[in-house]
Amino acid sequence: MKKVAIVTDSNAGIRQEEAKELGIFVLPMPFTIDDQTYYEDINLTQEEFFEKQISGAEIFTSQPVVGNVKELWDQILKDYDEIVHIPMSSGLSGSCQTACMLAQEYDNRVFVVDSQRISVTQKYDVIDAKRMADEGKSGQEIYDILTENKLNASIYITVNTLDYLKKGGRITPAVALLGGMLKIKPILQIQGEKLDSFAKTRTMAKGTKIMKEAIAKDIEERFGNDYHNVHICVAYTYDQEPALALKKELEEMYPGEEIICDPLSLSVSCHIGPHSLAIAICKKI
């Protein structure tokens, strides 16, 4: 039986300490903040990130340096036969394509999964991959199963302010100004390789209602009308209190299911800002 290592990047929202407990490897994502480079959960915590963001710092994301990826893989392959590498969606970053090209140098020992996921849904892929590796599945088998399941996930996010979408160039300053005057709070959907507008509202409470309706519709139409077939997760940026309240509501809606409450990864938080709230759903493997 081959010994298979599971590798991901910190876009999955898995901290280094948690990675050690799970028995996986997490490549920290780099951030440039006011012209200085930081690495998520190495010299940049969630709290420090939001302090800088709220204070108006210029923040940019970038993909891992190829040399750092290669160095990590080389070290792991001293102890493992194969690697399953699960980066963030290729539609949201070039890091997946870079990893795919690099993997060609490793003679079918590294399998790069374009899971087309990010943050909490990406995390579920990593956890599922680790379980399958522990069950004795090969890198190719894990790759095939995750690839087949990759589109069976969505994240719905109610964004509290348009400021950070404007900063990231995802909306124009004119749209941001008008939206701010009308107090519009967009609801975004991340599904597959796309980040799309899903709905608009004027209150976070209404946004929460729309997101709950969206996952109920997904369960009915995409996942066999059985909520036991899916993982459901509440996610948030900066402020955990409303997320915990939403978690309680979902536990009442879906009794018997474990509802996870996690922060959104910093790569997502960078573009939507603090005080945003999300519900994620993905099919169980």
Side-chain angles (χ1 to χ4, degrees), residues 64-121:
V65 176
V66 172
N68 293 345
V69 179
K70 183 174 174 56
E71 181 181 358
L72 177 62
W73 287 359
D74 289 344
Q75 187 64 35
I76 291 170
L77 288 172
K78 293 177 182 178
D79 300 312
Y80 290 82
D81 300 305
E82 296 177 338
I83 289 173
V84 174
H85 183 81
I86 308 171
M88 71 183 289
S89 170
S90 63
L92 301 173
S93 169
S95 59
C96 182
Q97 292 172 319
T98 300
C100 286
M101 289 188 291
L102 182 60
Q104 294 174 13
E105 302 176 12
Y106 283 81
D107 297 324
N108 294 318
R109 296 184 70 193
V110 178
F111 298 85
V112 179
V113 181
D114 184 4
S115 68
Q116 297 194 353
R117 300 185 181 190
I118 190 172
S119 196
V120 287
T121 54

Side-chain angles (χ1 to χ4, degrees), residues 155-166 170-171 175-176 178-180 182-189 195-204 206-208 210-211 271-273 275-278:
I155 306 176
Y156 300 95
I157 309 171
T158 301
V159 179
N160 186 54
T161 173
L162 297 172
D163 293 347
Y164 299 95
L165 291 171
K166 180 184 74 173
R170 295 193 177 272
I171 59 173
V175 169
L178 179 60
L182 297 175
K183 298 183 178 179
I184 288 173
K185 301 187 185 304
I187 300 167
L188 308 177
Q189 181 186 25
L195 170 64
D196 286 327
S197 176
F198 181 75
K200 296 181 179 69
T201 184
R202 293 191 178 183
T203 67
M204 291 297 289
K206 179 63 174 174
T208 299
I210 292 171
M211 290 192 298
H271 297 290
I272 64 175
H275 308 296
S276 298
L277 195 58

